[in-house]
Amino acid sequence: MPYLFDYVEHELATFDQKPFCPVDAAVLSQACMIDGAGVVPEPSAMPALIDRALTLLAPDARGTTFASLMRSELFDGMFTGLVPDDIRRLLMALAASPRFRDLRLCGYRSVFDEASHTQFAATTFTWRNAFSFVGFRGTDVSATGWRENFDMTYRDEVPAQKLAREYLEHMAPRLPGDLHVGGHSKGGNLALCAALTCSAGARGRISRVWCLDAPGFRAGRFMAEDFARLGLRADAGDEDSAANAGTLRGGDAMRATDAPTASAGTLRTCKIERIMPQDSLVGMLLDCPVPARVVRSNAQGIMQHSVFTWEIADDGDDFAEAERLGDGSQALHDVLAEWLAGMDDERCEQVVDALFAALGASGARDARDVFLGGKPFPQLVSDAARNLDEASRDVLGTALGELAAIAARRVGRDLAAAIFGE
C-alpha cells in the first residue's frame, strides 16, 4: 500500500496537471515542521494591494523553494516534532519532486515564549497564481508547546490561536488563487480557529480548511452559528445527517460526539475537511462538531497520529478510508469530556500546573520521552507526582483518581488499571 513518502517520491504530475488534493494538504502540513528561519522570507510589510499585485505579476520570483532550504547552512537544525528524521527525509523528497519542487515558500513566522506558554509557527506555500496554502505547525517536542495545548482545556484562546488569526488576516489579502488553510495536530486546531475567528473578508477568501487529526476546543467555545460561517449545517433534507448533527442549532454548544463521522448531507457545502486515523487519540481530544473522515493507518497507538503512517487510496488522490472510528477513540473522548466537565476553569488550571510540575520532576527531557518512553502517560505522571510538594500532589492525585474512576465506569476496571496503574 502507498503512503506519504511514496506519494512525494513518485508523483510526477504538477499542480497544473493534477489538482490539489487531501494528500497534498498532509504533505504541506508536515512541511510546516521545517524551521525556515533565515531562509524563508518573513511576512511582507508592504501594503496588501501592492504585495498582491507583485505576486500576480511575478509569482515565481517571490519567496524561496525547498531546494534553497536544502542548501542552507542551517539545514541540520531545521527539523522538529516527534518524528524529525521523517521531516528531514520529506524535505529531501520535496526538493526533488516534480510536483512540489517549484512551490514558493514565503511568510515564515515563528514565536516561542516559555513565560506565556507560546509555541507558534506558520509557513505559506504558493503555486503560481493558482492556489496558496497557509500552513500552521503542529506541536514541537518542547514542554512549552505541550503546555499551551493543555491550556486549551480552560482558556477560550491561547496565544498561538491569536497569532494564527493575525497571521491569516495578514496573509489572506496578499495571496493568489484558491486559499487553503490547514495543519496537522495543533496546526489543524490553529487553522480552524483562525478561520472561525478571522474577519469576514479573510474568511471569504478561504476555499478549504484542512484539520488533520487535530484536537478540538473547550466545550462551548464555538456555537453552531460560528461553524455555519464555514458551511457546516445539519441538512434538514437528510434524516440521518440531521439526527447525527445533534446540537447543530443556533446558540447551542457543539460536541464531537454529535457527528463523529462524515456524511454527505452535512459536508455538502462545508469548507472544513477533518481527517483522522481509525484509532485517533489526539483528534478526539476536546470538542469539534465537524464530521470526520476516518482513514487507515499501519501503526498502533499514538504513532497513528503521524500522517506518514496513513494509507493512500489506489487512485493516489486521497487517503484510504477505514470502516469506522475505533471504540477506544470514542471512549477516550467521552472519558476526558466527563472529567473536564467536572472541573471549573480555576481547578483545571491548578491540575495542569501540577501535571507539568510532575512532568518536570519525572526527568523527561521532552515530549518524546513522555509519549514514546514506554510507560503509559497517566502512570508516568502518577509515579512522578510522588516528588511534588504536598499541595500539588494532592491536586494531581485527586484529579487522576477521578479520571481513573470515570474510565473504570466507562471502559472497565481492568483496562483502566492497565492505563492508570493500581
Side-chain angles (χ1 to χ4, degrees), residues 303-372:
M303 292 313 297
Q304 283 200 11
H305 184 53
S306 170
V307 299
F308 294 107
T309 73
W310 296 3
E311 183 181 325
I312 296 175
D314 291 338
D315 62 11
D317 294 336
D318 205 344
F319 293 102
E321 294 198 9
E323 291 185 4
R324 63 184 180 88
L325 190 67
D327 293 339
S329 294
Q330 189 62 57
L332 172 68
H333 173 272
D334 294 344
V335 167
L336 292 179
E338 182 178 342
W339 183 55
L340 291 172
M343 293 186 279
D344 60 20
D345 292 346
E346 182 179 3
R347 183 171 178 235
C348 191
E349 183 175 7
Q350 291 172 348
V351 171
V352 172
D353 283 341
L355 171 64
F356 276 82
L359 291 177
S362 73
R365 294 163 296 179
D366 56 39
R368 285 168 291 199
D369 289 339
V370 173
F371 294 106
L372 305 178

Side-chain angles (χ1 to χ4, degrees), residues 232-234 238 240-246 248 255-268 270 272-280 283-284 288-295 321-327 329-330:
L232 181 63
R233 295 178 177 87
D238 184 333
D240 291 337
S241 173
N244 285 338
L248 288 177
R255 307 179 68 84
T257 48
D258 294 326
T261 56
S263 65
T266 52
L267 290 182
R268 193 165 295 148
C270 185
I272 310 166
E273 183 85 5
R274 186 175 175 226
I275 305 174
M276 61 177 61
Q278 71 263 29
D279 293 322
S280 173
M284 293 302 291
C288 183
V290 181
R293 288 201 300 117
V294 183
V295 301
E321 294 198 9
E323 291 185 4
R324 63 184 180 88
L325 190 67
D327 293 339
S329 294
Q330 189 62 57

Side-chain angles (χ1 to χ4, degrees), residues 26-348:
V27 170
L28 296 185
S29 75
Q30 293 307 290
C32 291
M33 301 303 293
I34 301 169
D35 185 351
V39 185
V40 179
E42 296 180 355
S44 171
M46 289 188 294
L49 286 176
I50 296 176
D51 210 17
R52 179 76 175 274
L54 291 174
T55 300
L56 291 172
L57 289 171
D60 292 334
R62 313 197 75 202
T64 190
T65 63
F66 290 113
S68 297
L69 294 174
M70 288 282 297
R71 294 191 294 268
S72 171
E73 61 184 13
L74 303 174
F75 175 83
D76 288 338
M78 284 184 173
F79 312 103
T80 186
L82 291 174
V83 288
D85 290 341
D86 284 343
I87 304 302
R88 177 191 290 260
R89 177 182 169 185
L90 178 66
L91 175 55
M92 295 178 180
L94 290 169
S97 165
R99 185 163 180 81
F100 295 98
R101 65 190 177 199
D102 292 327
L103 282 171
R104 308 300 296 190
L105 287 68
C106 65
Y108 181 79
R109 188 177 185 211
S110 177
V111 178
F112 186 88
D113 182 66
E114 292 183 358
S116 61
H117 310 157
T118 305
Q119 178 252 310
F120 169 84
T123 306
T124 294
F125 309 85
T126 63
W127 175 257
R128 299 173 183 168
N129 290 326
F131 74 82
S132 302
F133 184 93
V134 172
F136 295 103
R137 179 180 295 170
T139 313
D140 62 14
V141 296
S142 70
T144 297
W146 285 93
R147 172 59 198 254
E148 186 174 41
N149 292 349
F150 280 77
D151 286 351
M152 293 181 189
T153 61
Y154 62 88
R155 295 181 61 177
D156 277 345
E157 183 175 83
V158 298
Q161 291 171 332
K162 178 176 182 291
L163 290 166
R165 179 177 63 253
E166 293 172 349
Y167 183 87
L168 180 59
E169 290 278 7
H170 182 85
M171 297 300 294
R174 292 170 160 78
L175 297 172
D178 292 338
L179 180 59
H180 297 262
V181 183
H184 169 248
S185 193
K186 173 183 176 178
N189 172 283
L190 298 183
L192 182 53
C193 189
L196 289 167
T197 58
C198 68
S199 67
R203 189 180 304 113
R205 290 280 342 271
I206 297 173
S207 296
R208 183 69 83 187
V209 181
W210 300 91
C211 299
L212 308 180
D213 207 27
F217 308 96
R218 60 177 300 192
R221 170 65 179 95
F222 293 108
M223 303 298 173
E225 55 266 31
D226 297 311
F227 285 91
R229 298 187 189 104
L230 291 171
L232 181 63
R233 295 178 177 87
D235 188 339
D238 184 333
E239 184 177 345
D240 291 337
S241 173
N244 285 338
T247 56
L248 288 177
R249 301 186 299 271
D252 285 342
M254 302 166 69
R255 307 179 68 84
T257 48
D258 294 326
T261 56
S263 65
T266 52
L267 290 182
R268 193 165 295 148
T269 59
C270 185
K271 292 184 176 183
I272 310 166
E273 183 85 5
R274 186 175 175 226
I275 305 174
M276 61 177 61
Q278 71 263 29
D279 293 322
S280 173
L281 299 176
V282 177
M284 293 302 291
L285 299 177
L286 302 178
D287 286 359
C288 183
V290 181
R293 288 201 300 117
V294 183
V295 301
R296 296 202 293 261
S297 168
N298 67 358
Q300 300 294 321
I302 187 63
M303 292 313 297
Q304 283 200 11
H305 184 53
S306 170
V307 299
F308 294 107
T309 73
W310 296 3
E311 183 181 325
I312 296 175
D314 291 338
D315 62 11
D317 294 336
D318 205 344
F319 293 102
E321 294 198 9
E323 291 185 4
R324 63 184 180 88
L325 190 67
D327 293 339
S329 294
Q330 189 62 57
L332 172 68
H333 173 272
D334 294 344
V335 167
L336 292 179
E338 182 178 342
W339 183 55
L340 291 172
M343 293 186 279
D344 60 20
D345 292 346
E346 182 179 3
R347 183 171 178 235
C348 191

